[in-house]
Amino acid sequence: MSGPQRSGTGGGNRRAVVTGLGVVSPHGIGVEAHWKAVADGASSLGPVTREGCEDLPLRVAGEVRGFDAAETVEDRFLVQTDRFTHFALAATQHALTDARFGRADADSPYSVGVVTAAGSGGGEFGQRELQNLWGHGSRHVGPYQSIAWFYAASTGQVSIRNDFKGPCGVVAADEAGGLDALAHAALAVRGGTDTVVCGATEAPLAPYSIVCQLGYPELSRAAEPDRAYRPFTDAACGFAPAEGGAVLLVEEETAARERGADVRATVAGHAATFTGPGRWELSREGLARAIGGALAEAGCRPEEVDVVFADALGVPEADRAEALALADALGPHAARVPVTAPKTGTGRAYCAAPVLDVATAVLAMEHGLIPPTPHVVDVCHDLDVVTGRARPGEPRTALILGRGLMGSNSALVLRRGAGPSAER
């Protein structure tokens, strides 16, 4: 097992803050629709309805319904890109609008970077073009097949569409990659970049993509939406997948204040480890080390954590390892701190799942409300899992966790507003 890799998000004179949120989720398009459903404890899990998926053994997922990419994305970008990039382009526009960030707010195109994470890439686009190849011949394959399927496509297209020429990158770190992308953004800010668009979106519900996922033993085969994804319970039977995701605008604090932006949260600390695929018992130590590293970088004591957004895989061995990792890293506070997993109401959108949690954590801290964990009632671990209804509170520090099926572990500490220097 590797030791914790810290991002360097803490320390120094340049601090990375969140100023804008953009969300495309099964709960709806935009922050307001997503937050209302999350705060109400609603569930958007349902039968898989995508064309070509009718006879596949995956029965329940979180689909983004009513999404019309043409409403926010120009035709020339639509034809070049897959659904997962359509989500990214739309969420980016929402985040920029939310932050009131326009071209005039950038000193130059080189002052704005882009970092995204993706696990499945453009499966729908790739499947269509390969069907054209085998059904009609090579002349019927479009030139964009070479780029639209690629997991880095969203970073490139967001950069091109918005003329952002600063440091750009893509993280391939399994499902934990969404948190790692935020850490890379914070590192870029600390290194001199004023603004970074970062996040993750996924669209893994095309037939080819689903067939690939069926090889995961952790994937839930349950047919009932209310039983498909129930982490931390005796009825846990895996996770329900989802599409969608979130994009955040991360800025250097001083630059953000100078342009009059609202500082909504501070990316205070991050660390990541690797423990290998399918070895859930080892993820206990790996996740605990990541949590410890993130807290250390944030200068945060365990008892300062006000809410934990759990990874919540829904596999008994993995859930047990996560509960024990929290106990190892937080000590007695682990049994007292509220733990939530709103993703049980949307499904687990792979790399995008923890980024949606980050967006939700920002909203939870702003609204003074910890959202519940849909479908979960009888918790079988020594955790204070928020169930049933949202819990009022004043969370100022959130710990967000992410693990991947291939063995990545990541932890991120988020502080409300400008962080402890201004509020504690």
Side-chain angles (χ1 to χ4, degrees):
M1 182 191 71
S2 64
Q5 300 298 306
R6 299 182 185 177
S7 63
T9 57
N13 297 321
R14 294 175 59 88
R15 297 209 302 174
V17 298
V18 176
T19 57
L21 305 175
V23 172
V24 176
S25 91
H27 283 328
I29 314 303
V31 167
E32 290 185 6
H34 175 74
W35 172 249
K36 183 180 185 306
V38 166
D40 289 343
S43 174
S44 294
L45 294 182
V48 178
T49 63
R50 301 298 299 281
E51 183 179 356
C53 301
E54 300 86 353
D55 299 323
L56 297 176
L58 176 67
R59 302 301 183 190
V60 175
E63 296 183 354
V64 175
R65 304 177 190 275
F67 175 77
D68 184 357
E71 291 182 357
T72 54
V73 183
E74 301 91 326
D75 288 345
R76 68 189 183 100
F77 290 107
L78 285 177
V79 299
Q80 300 176 21
T81 49
D82 178 80
R83 184 173 172 87
F84 91 107
T85 299
H86 299 166
F87 291 153
L89 291 168
T92 296
Q93 190 57 53
H94 280 281
L96 294 173
T97 300
D98 185 52
R100 304 188 304 278
F101 186 91
R103 293 183 183 275
D105 293 304
D107 291 338
S108 79
Y110 297 96
S111 67
V112 185
V114 183
V115 181
T116 67
S120 58
E124 185 176 83
F125 193 109
Q127 178 176 342
R128 182 178 67 244
E129 296 301 308
L130 288 174
Q131 287 175 330
N132 288 338
L133 172 65
W134 292 107
H136 305 287
S138 60
R139 293 181 180 273
H140 294 267
V141 178
Y144 299 115
Q145 162 66 356
S146 61
I147 58 172
W149 68 270
F150 193 40
Y151 64 92
S154 293
T155 288
Q157 295 291 358
V158 168
S159 172
I160 292 168
R161 186 195 187 205
N162 296 281
D163 194 33
F164 295 152
K165 300 180 180 180
C168 291
V170 61
V171 178
D174 206 0
E175 291 144 282
L179 295 183
D180 295 348
L182 290 171
H184 277 266
L187 184 62
V189 166
R190 186 168 177 260
T193 303
D194 283 343
T195 308
V196 182
V197 174
C198 64
T201 56
E202 301 272 23
L205 300 182
Y208 167 76
S209 299
I210 290 177
V211 169
C212 293
Q213 294 168 72
L214 291 174
Y216 299 149
E218 296 89 354
L219 192 74
S220 174
R221 268 69 167 181
E224 302 85 5
D226 61 341
R227 297 178 179 272
Y229 190 13
R230 302 177 64 184
F232 303 120
T233 71
D234 289 328
C237 61
F239 69 92
E243 57 182 0
V247 169
L248 286 71
L249 194 68
V250 174
E251 301 186 66
E252 195 278 319
E253 182 182 6
T254 301
R257 292 191 183 281
E258 286 178 352
R259 71 173 190 85
D262 296 327
V263 174
R264 306 180 68 171
T266 300
V267 182
H270 169 269
T273 63
F274 181 77
T275 48
R279 307 172 70 183
W280 294 117
E281 70 281 359
L282 295 183
S283 74
R284 170 185 179 177
E285 182 182 359
L287 188 59
R289 287 194 180 189
I291 294 169
L295 293 175
E297 188 169 83
C300 178
R301 301 186 305 275
E303 58 270 21
E304 290 183 74
V305 176
D306 299 314
V307 60
V308 175
F309 282 77
D311 175 64
L313 186 62
V315 173
E317 298 84 356
D319 293 346
R320 182 175 184 272
E322 183 170 17
L324 292 173
L326 284 168
D328 293 342
L330 302 183
H333 187 59
R336 299 189 297 265
V337 63
V339 175
T340 185
K343 61 171 69 76
T344 61
T346 59
R348 187 181 178 91
Y350 294 100
C351 282
V355 185
L356 273 172
D357 280 344
V358 171
T360 304
V362 173
L363 295 166
M365 290 189 288
E366 289 179 344
H367 287 84
L369 201 65
I370 300 173
T373 308
H375 308 304
V376 171
V377 179
D378 299 319
V379 176
C380 63
H381 297 280
D382 190 18
L383 296 174
D384 181 17
V385 179
V386 181
T387 62
R389 296 181 180 180
R391 185 181 300 178
E394 296 184 4
R396 295 176 179 269
T397 301
L399 173 65
I400 299 96
L401 306 180
R403 288 177 300 177
L405 299 179
M406 297 299 106
S408 296
N409 311 289
S410 191
L412 184 137
V413 176
L414 203 66
R415 299 274 201 179
R416 178 182 174 182
S421 62
E423 294 195 76
R424 284 189 179 268

